[in-house]
Amino acid sequence: KANRRLKVFRARFSALSYQDVSRALMNLQRPDERASIAVDARMELDLRLGAAFTRFNTLCAKRNRILGLLDGGENGGERRERGR
């Protein structure tokens, strides 16, 4: 169960400098639900775009036979063991 009497505050700062963090701790604010939703949306977009970009790069590398050369795959010959 949630404790509805619990008071929650947030320290808002954008840099990890002593001045910014100290100022934020001296000016605690109530959490903003809309800002929290916006952060969730940015994280979701970042995850999806990152996955798409990684997939795109992988497909391009495979198409250009770069991955096979790097990891000893189908076009790269035998896989070499470390230290040999």
Side-chain angles (χ1 to χ4, degrees):
K1 293 183 180 180
N3 182 351
R4 299 216 178 259
R5 292 181 292 173
L6 184 66
K7 293 182 181 180
V8 177
F9 295 93
R10 178 175 184 240
R12 295 186 65 173
F13 55 92
S14 57
L16 290 177
S17 69
Y18 179 81
Q19 292 84 8
D20 283 354
V21 174
S22 295
R23 188 177 309 117
L25 290 173
M26 297 300 291
N27 297 298
L28 296 175
Q29 301 174 357
R30 290 264 185 193
D32 180 2
E33 186 175 0
R34 288 177 291 170
S36 177
I37 292 169
V39 168
D40 289 342
R42 285 192 299 271
M43 287 185 346
E44 180 74 20
L45 281 171
D46 186 48
L47 177 65
R48 289 176 183 256
L49 289 172
F53 185 65
T54 299
R55 180 71 177 146
F56 173 76
N57 283 333
T58 301
L59 291 174
C60 286
K62 282 183 178 179
R63 185 179 320 122
N64 293 313
R65 297 182 178 182
I66 294 171
L67 287 180
L69 296 173
L70 294 176
D71 67 5
E74 63 185 64
N75 296 315
E78 294 183 11
R79 186 177 222 139
R80 294 183 185 167
E81 293 181 23
R82 286 187 177 177
R84 291 186 186 191

